């Protein structure tokens, strides 16, 4: 990508006396009066006091602030400084990682994927509240999560009226800006100005005044291209050109490819049975390698005119848009790999009218998801023989990442699909178990389970029927007999109860793994 | 209630030859050409063949067909006749009970409260699919639950255009009439014609054509007062005057009264903190004695101008409407006690513009529930220390009733509240347990737990914080120490994991109960 002149519109000049003079370009900072708020990250960080509730931009490692959190972490190493940290979802290590390692986080909401945060959560250092991503913004507006002191948000530009043009994610930034006492903006020149116009910012009113969200098609734009912000709230502007720490994407492996094949075959079958339109319905897909494989599979599928109404726009979405198979992609963040990000920026004018970035309150909104009839594809950590899904806890106790948006989508979807490899840890763990060790998605919300072994269609099946279907279609052959044995024994001992279980043995596979390193 | 002439507009005349001649009043049957479809229940039942999928009206013991199911049950005792039975929710014994005892049901969806059905479900005779009540109608329209052969619906009247005026419930009747091959109508003279005008029938289109549901206030009427029906589909009309088998309501006991007090104090506190409007937000309440006590408590509360956007309209709602404390009640069925029903009919002209009966697809719709900001109050069978709720399974295996609408409401509510007595079976069971034996509402969907002991406000709390709150506020003193002991031991053994558990002991309270008749 050729360097563009406006990427260099500001200069940071460090003079001999260590005094830093900074100037933002008038394209990035469009209000002269706000120029006085430009300061260093350290100065901005000093606005944050011990015990404060801080909300930041960022959803996946995209569009999150970096300079101020790092400056804050440095302070926390020297002084007593612990904050409650709210974000959109996961964010990059400069934010979650540095603050966690500095011991600066007491509470974290609503989602994370960072090793250091996770360690804190699973050792009692950090209290983590695992919320549906669409619930959090309204809970903040309702006053259920306390009073937000400071918002730290990354921006591409600040408008003359104070309006914030976000970077590659929207997430909870609108509600944080609305509800925080003070707003700190990191104006990031590494994010191209061409992002402006891709966002669609709409905030529902609180009940009893809420109106229908006027989206009836994936492509509908209903709001502004910037986040309204009272300029008097902007307490600091920090200039930076630090890039997002995007994540690499593993190549599609055999297991993910098979899952993708089963899924596409199923969707094709549904079209043939008249239960799905030819061009399907808008797709939602979780993040990660299975999700990427499924989307990549669609590139070579017979489907045309696809739409994407999801959270995160990953590399494979660019493939679908490039191939013409997909016409529109709506999400709350663009999170490609490093190569993907380069590709995105290089062709940003091609993607501009095909990608919409919405607040997570809208991208994940039950109202819109149910109305549009989303096909929701999410991943599970483990699934039990009755179709309950665990997507958050390792062996029932340790937090992995969080429920994220999977519940928002699965619960309200036209089709709710969960995918997982049939085994983990080189076969020591069966991802199909007698009883999941934690439930995030109940039997009432899971229509289809798919592993590399096959696909179980659970619609209209009772628990006893589901058990036979899941064991036969989805379980790994190494575990199939043991699962069937558990099921049959449970039927006998429970007198064929609605959901046969042997309570003494229901969690024994997990206990085995913890004690012996193998589930059976 | 004085007998009204039009209650006797038809006569059933049994002549010497056993031939039955029947005539409906022109107020009840407004199409002359449909008169030819009048027949006996036995004749109508003969339209139903072995293996068929049959959908009936009825939601709670209100507005369900009685004559044809009883005739069907008689046939099933003599011939091979087993059907799949879909309803709105629970129905009366004439339908669920007689058919179950005749062994005539292979599969049952989506909810039940009948002893005979329950016995069948928990002994492997009947396959039961426990669905969110708002999900079922669209799943039928999507073709996910097979092709409906026959709908049997109770009606107050049939319009000239074939339109069906339902009785005291709407439930799934619109979708059954829309999707069934044939429709059998039970025209019931025991249901007053004044019910006409209380229903509001609206059917959302399937995606991708679905539009916003245009309800922005509880009182909004958006549809027709009858269920459209192609008259050619009406295959039989059966005349009856058999009344609904309504359920008696126990008087408010001390435990329910205390739960009600805690709840009203909490709501008051929320108003004072500015987190709820003075007149609250529309209330939803589950069925049964706790729900009734809470609503009765509101009659003596300081709240005015209350609204009810719920499923089932019980006796206490009449108290609230009568007192002027409540201005409008929207539901999908009116299910009072026998005294309540009499009172309802006696004052039907007072209640007519204050009660709206909607399809369960609308009364329980996530879009509307989230928009209006419902305060959802539902009951739990058991709750665990981390806030997961079991509302369906006894000791993890045996089906009680089903999830009903609790998930539709709890998941999308402004406030999601679950109530339960702290103990059951004379104290042998603690309803607060280390780990619930079945999960219907996950930790992500439960904001408040209340027992007669107190109320735990879980908003913004991590699992470890929730455990201390629930144990201290909600557990019965007899179990509090044992719960705290479990929790502390789990913290120690799990290294203070996000959700501390000892897998070997997590279900031991249930196992104890099954083995020794006491949880500890």
């Amino acid at each position: 990508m050729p360097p563009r002149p406006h990427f260099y519109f500001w200069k940071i000049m460090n003079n001999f006396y260590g005094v830093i003079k900074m100037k933002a370009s008038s394209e990035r900072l469009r209000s002269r009066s706000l120029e006085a708020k430009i300061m260093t990250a350290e100065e901005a960080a000093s606005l944050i006091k011990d015990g404060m509730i801080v909300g930041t931009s960022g959803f996946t490692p995209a569009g999150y602030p970096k300079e101020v959190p790092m400056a804050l972490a440095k302070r926390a190493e020297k002084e007593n400084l612990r904050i409650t940290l709210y974000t959109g979802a996961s964010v990059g290590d400069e934010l979650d990682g540095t603050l966690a390692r500095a011991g600066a986080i007491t509470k974290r909401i609503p989602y994370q994927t960072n090793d250091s945060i996770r360690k804190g959560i699973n050792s009692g250092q950090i209290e983590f509240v695992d919320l549906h991503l669409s619930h959090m913004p309204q809970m903040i507006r309702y006053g259920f999560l306390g009073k937000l002191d400071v918002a730290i948000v990354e921006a591409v530009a600040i408008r003359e009226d104070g309006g914030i043009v976000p970077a590659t994610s929207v997430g909870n930034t609108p509600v944080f800006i609305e509800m925080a006492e003070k707003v700190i903006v990191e104006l990031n020149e590494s994010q191209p100005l061409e992002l402006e116009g891709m966002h669609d910012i709409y905030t529902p009113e609180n009940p009893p005044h809420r109106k229908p969200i006027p989206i009836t098609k994936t492509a509908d734009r209903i709001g502004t291209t910037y986040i309204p912000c009272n300029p008097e709230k902007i307490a600091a502007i920090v200039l930076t050109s630090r890039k997002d720490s995007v994540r690499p994407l593993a190549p599609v492996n055999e297991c993910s490819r098979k899952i993708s094949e089963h899924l596409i075959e199923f969707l094709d079958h549904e079209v043939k049975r008249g239960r799905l339109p030819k061009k399907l319905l808008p797709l939602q897909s979780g993040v990660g390698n299975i999700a990427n494989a499924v989307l990549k599979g669609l590139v070579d599928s017979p489907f045309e005119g696809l739409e994407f109404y999801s959270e995160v726009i990953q590399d494979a979405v660019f493939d679908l848009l490039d191939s013409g198979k997909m016409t529109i992609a709506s999400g709350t963040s663009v999170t490609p790999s490093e190569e993907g990000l380069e590709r995105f920026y290089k062709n940003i004018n091609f993607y501009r009218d095909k990608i919409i970035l919405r607040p997570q309150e809208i991208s994940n909104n039950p109202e819109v998801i149910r109305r549009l009839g989303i096909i929701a594809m999410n991943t599970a950590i483990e699934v039990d023989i009755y179709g309950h899904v665990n997507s958050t806890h390792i062996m029932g106790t340790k937090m992995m990442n969080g429920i994220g948006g999977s519940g928002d989508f699965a619960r309200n979807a036209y089709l709710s699909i969960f995918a997982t490899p049939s085994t983990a840890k080189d076969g020591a763990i069966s991802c199909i178990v007698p009883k999941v060790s934690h439930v995030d998605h109940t039997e009432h919300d899971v229509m289809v389970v798919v592993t590399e072994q096959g696909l179980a269609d659970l619609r209209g099946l009772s628990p006893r029927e589901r058990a036979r279907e899941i064991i036969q279609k989805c379980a790994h052959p190494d575990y199939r007999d043991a699962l069937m044995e558990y099921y049959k024994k449970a039927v006998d001992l429970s007198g064929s109860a609605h959901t046969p279980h042997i309570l003494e043995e229901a969690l024994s596979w997990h206990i085995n793994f913890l004690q012996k390193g193998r589930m059976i």
Side-chain angles (χ1 to χ4, degrees), chain A:
Chain A
M1 176 182 174
R4 288 161 180 246
H6 63 252
F7 272 25
Y8 301 97
F9 271 170
W10 67 63
K11 304 253 173 285
I12 301 181
M13 299 184 316
N14 220 332
N15 75 8
F16 284 105
Y17 310 100
V19 179
I20 293 165
K21 288 187 190 167
M22 296 156 293
K23 193 166 169 2
S25 82
S26 59
E27 274 183 297
R28 298 272 179 179
L29 180 57
R30 300 170 193 166
S31 157
R32 288 296 299 271
S33 60
L34 282 174
E35 280 177 5
K37 299 292 174 64
I38 296 177
M39 60 183 79
T40 63
E42 291 70 26
E43 287 167 331
S46 73
L47 298 170
I48 296 163
K49 315 289 180 202
D50 185 47
M52 277 189 168
I53 301 181
V54 177
T56 77
S57 64
F59 193 108
T60 64
Y64 58 96
K66 301 152 194 86
E67 303 294 346
V68 180
M70 288 194 295
L72 204 61
K74 271 193 193 142
R75 261 181 65 203
E77 280 163 13
K78 287 176 236 150
E79 61 180 289
N80 207 2
L81 178 70
R82 302 193 75 200
I83 61 165
T84 290
L85 178 62
Y86 297 168
T87 62
S90 59
V91 287
D93 189 71
E94 299 89 337
L95 172 48
D96 259 350
T98 54
L99 284 172
R101 289 188 294 273
I105 303 177
T106 49
K107 183 167 273 190
R108 180 76 176 82
I109 308 183
Y111 184 82
Q112 55 73 42
T113 57
N114 183 277
D115 281 344
S116 304
I117 287 269
R118 192 182 293 120
K119 207 174 285 173
I121 291 168
N122 288 319
S123 64
Q125 303 306 303
I126 298 173
E127 301 301 329
F128 176 60
V129 188
D130 184 17
L131 283 184
H132 297 296
L133 297 186
S134 90
H135 283 196
M136 187 181 184
Q138 67 180 21
M139 287 180 84
I140 288 173
R141 275 204 314 279
Y142 297 167
F144 292 179
L145 300 178
K147 176 87 196 80
L148 220 68
D149 296 295
V150 177
I152 317 176
V153 304
E154 185 177 85
V156 158
I158 304 176
R159 288 161 46 104
E160 202 168 351
D161 60 4
I164 306 285
V165 181
T168 40
S169 70
V170 181
N172 278 326
T173 314
V175 71
F176 292 157
I177 288 179
E178 180 190 348
M179 300 301 291
E181 272 317 294
K182 292 179 184 170
V183 175
I184 298 173
V185 184
E186 290 197 8
L187 205 50
N188 193 326
E189 72 156 354
S190 82
Q191 300 272 21
L193 268 171
E194 283 90 341
L195 284 168
E196 191 170 2
M198 296 179 84
H199 312 95
D200 186 55
I201 310 301
Y202 174 96
T203 299
E205 283 186 85
N206 283 354
H209 306 292
R210 191 171 293 176
K211 297 282 172 294
I213 297 167
I215 295 175
T216 58
K217 295 190 303 295
T218 305
D220 283 346
R221 289 184 166 274
I222 61 171
T224 56
T225 57
Y226 60 91
I227 302 167
C229 179
N230 177 352
E232 286 172 17
K233 265 194 179 181
I234 298 178
I237 297 171
V238 175
L239 308 180
T240 179
S241 60
R242 196 183 294 272
K243 290 186 180 175
D244 287 335
S245 299
V246 294
R247 291 181 290 212
L249 214 56
V252 172
N253 63 19
E254 182 63 9
C255 173
S256 299
R257 199 184 51 71
K258 277 194 182 160
I259 288 175
S260 165
E261 281 174 13
H262 294 313
L263 252 175
I264 289 170
E265 190 191 329
F266 168 74
L267 294 175
D268 195 41
H269 174 258
E270 289 298 295
V271 171
K272 292 202 176 103
R273 297 287 294 264
R275 292 193 291 244
L276 270 179
K278 246 184 158 172
K279 55 178 265 187
L280 304 183
L281 285 164
L283 301 162
Q284 175 263 338
S285 154
V287 190
N289 295 322
I290 291 180
N292 208 48
V294 170
L295 293 175
K296 273 191 180 299
L298 285 168
V299 175
D300 303 317
S301 77
F303 303 115
E304 304 273 352
L306 297 174
E307 300 186 352
F308 195 60
Y309 193 92
S310 192
E311 257 178 28
V312 177
I313 295 172
Q314 279 185 291
D315 289 43
V317 173
F318 299 134
D319 296 337
L320 284 162
L321 290 171
D322 288 353
S323 71
K325 290 266 182 183
M326 182 174 276
T327 57
I328 186 83
S330 167
T332 191
S333 88
V334 179
T335 318
S337 65
E338 202 164 330
E339 312 84 79
L341 193 65
E342 225 170 89
R343 178 178 170 192
F344 171 57
Y345 284 163
K346 200 166 160 188
N347 303 301
I348 196 161
N349 287 320
F350 170 78
Y351 294 125
R352 263 168 75 90
D353 61 344
K354 294 173 191 70
I355 291 180
I356 306 177
L357 295 178
R358 311 181 188 275
Q360 67 195 69
E361 189 165 9
I362 304 299
S363 65
N364 289 26
N365 196 284
E367 170 177 340
V368 180
I369 292 163
R370 182 147 165 166
R371 184 181 303 142
L372 298 183
I374 305 295
I375 299 172
M377 302 179 288
N378 289 286
T379 48
I381 290 176
E382 57 180 5
V383 182
D384 71 26
I385 57 174
Y386 299 115
H388 298 85
V389 167
N390 171 11
S391 47
T392 58
H393 281 65
I394 304 296
M395 301 297 143
T397 63
K398 295 211 187 296
M399 172 53 56
M400 184 68 197
N401 301 328
I403 191 168
S406 57
D408 291 323
F409 284 97
R411 181 56 180 279
N412 300 290
Y414 186 94
L415 274 172
S416 147
I417 301 166
F418 283 89
T420 175
S422 68
T423 60
K425 294 262 176 208
D426 291 325
I429 290 174
S430 173
C431 301
I432 310 294
V433 291
K435 189 178 176 80
V436 287
S437 57
H438 184 89
V439 177
D440 295 288
H441 307 284
T442 71
E443 55 171 333
H444 318 286
D445 296 322
V446 179
M447 295 187 202
V448 170
V449 174
V450 55
T451 69
E452 83 287 356
Q453 298 295 320
L455 181 145
D457 179 358
L458 309 178
R459 291 173 295 176
L461 301 191
S462 71
R464 291 182 296 251
E465 292 169 326
R466 272 179 240 149
R468 293 188 290 267
E469 179 81 0
I470 290 174
I471 295 171
Q472 281 161 18
K473 302 277 176 68
C474 298
H476 191 279
D478 291 353
Y479 288 94
R480 208 174 282 154
D481 291 348
L483 286 166
M484 193 50 90
E485 200 180 304
Y486 173 85
Y487 171 68
K488 284 187 174 158
K489 192 172 160 194
V491 168
D492 287 348
L493 289 177
S494 73
S496 206
H498 179 61
T499 303
H501 263 308
I502 310 156
L503 296 188
E504 291 85 346
E505 297 179 23
L507 298 172
S508 62
W509 289 32
H510 301 86
I511 295 168
N512 282 345
F513 177 79
L514 291 171
Q515 291 175 350
K516 306 174 203 162
R518 285 198 67 83
M519 276 199 161
I520 58 169

